[in-house]
Amino acid sequence: RAQRAVLMLRSEVVAREVTLSESRAALTPPQIAITPRLPTGCRFWIRSGTTDRQVFVVEQPPSRRTIEYHASRRRDSEPTTYRLAVPYVVFVVSTIGEQIEGLSTYFRTQPIASLDATLFSSTLPNTNDDGIVCLGSVRVSGVSVGERVDALIGAFWASRFNQDLRRHPLPFSGGFRSWASRSRRDPLAALSMQYDPYWRTLRQVVTQMAGL
């Protein structure tokens, strides 16, 4: 039987000429930047080398949260416990070195897609109209900054909320009692509520908290 020969043709194309030093640089393994232990749910981590500041953007999915709210300023009064459905909650935490500097929180009805995401004002207590949280005497510990941020957010949810700061108004009447009632009927009720838009984007909040 006749044998059929197959001819393989190979063409060489020079895409770009480089110097020997460029070639060595391309073959040199890059320096690996070691990322610290990030907080749970961290979506963005921004570090400012000039100010030694770090900013962590943490997003928590919609859920039902139990909070204690002290409506009265009398020391002998007891707080009321509410089980509230909350939307996506965004925490922005700034640190200097290893120390927590500030905490802000906002609402969203959809997950964050980029740093240019818009924000809604949080209606949670102890949070002012700019989203800044009153930390009071909260002190947290942890081996890394990421662990301390986790502990800080945990302490926020576990705190005894009060009227130290005028919270942003709810989008409906009836206060926390009405909020809790809506939450019992629908665990995702918070996603359909109409919140007041915050005047800064997430990028602007991060930029300001990073001191840039």
Side-chain angles (χ1 to χ4, degrees):
R1 300 173 58 184
Q3 302 235 351
R4 192 166 42 177
V6 178
L7 179 63
M8 302 291 293
L9 297 177
R10 185 180 68 175
S11 63
E12 295 183 357
V13 178
V14 178
R16 185 170 67 93
E17 293 184 356
V18 297
T19 64
L20 181 59
S21 60
E22 289 176 325
S23 177
R24 287 174 177 168
L27 295 174
T28 302
Q31 296 294 322
I32 299 175
I34 300 176
T35 303
R37 188 277 199 191
L38 297 176
T40 304
C42 185
R43 297 296 306 276
F44 297 99
W45 169 51
I46 296 89
R47 184 169 188 171
S48 170
T50 57
T51 61
D52 198 27
R53 274 192 174 95
Q54 298 183 87
V55 178
F56 301 91
V57 178
V58 175
E59 179 186 72
Q60 294 185 333
S63 63
R64 283 193 293 184
R65 296 278 183 175
T66 300
I67 70 166
E68 286 189 353
Y69 182 59
H70 211 155
S72 173
R73 296 185 183 278
R74 292 175 48 189
R75 293 183 178 275
D76 58 346
S77 62
E78 291 296 322
T80 304
T81 300
Y82 298 99
R83 183 77 168 162
L84 306 176
V86 294
Y88 290 92
V89 182
V90 179
F91 292 97
V92 185
V93 185
S94 62
T95 67
I96 294 183
E98 299 293 309
Q99 301 302 314
I100 301 288
E101 182 188 29
L103 171 66
S104 296
T105 185
Y106 309 91
F107 282 174
R108 275 184 57 82
T109 54
Q110 295 179 342
I112 297 170
S114 74
L115 263 179
D116 293 311
T118 56
L119 302 169
F120 294 114
S121 295
S122 168
T123 58
L124 293 168
N126 298 88
T127 305
N128 71 10
D129 283 342
D130 273 332
I132 298 173
V133 175
C134 176
L135 296 177
S137 59
V138 173
R139 297 292 181 271
V140 295
S141 61
V143 175
S144 65
V145 175
E147 291 181 4
R148 285 193 283 277
V149 171
D150 279 343
L152 178 67
I153 294 174
F156 169 80
W157 288 118
S159 63
R160 180 173 288 187
F161 293 100
N162 53 42
Q163 299 186 71
D164 284 354
L165 289 179
R166 182 181 65 86
R167 64 174 174 80
H168 205 80
L170 293 171
F172 50 81
S173 61
F176 288 112
R177 188 182 299 275
S178 178
W179 190 352
S181 176
R182 291 166 180 254
S183 302
R184 283 193 298 271
R185 295 194 301 268
D186 181 6
L188 298 178
L191 292 177
S192 59
M193 296 178 187
Q194 300 296 316
Y195 307 101
D196 289 340
Y198 184 55
W199 63 281
R200 285 190 178 118
T201 65
L202 178 58
R203 183 184 297 276
Q204 290 170 326
V205 171
V206 167
T207 300
Q208 189 242 353
M209 293 186 70
L212 301 175

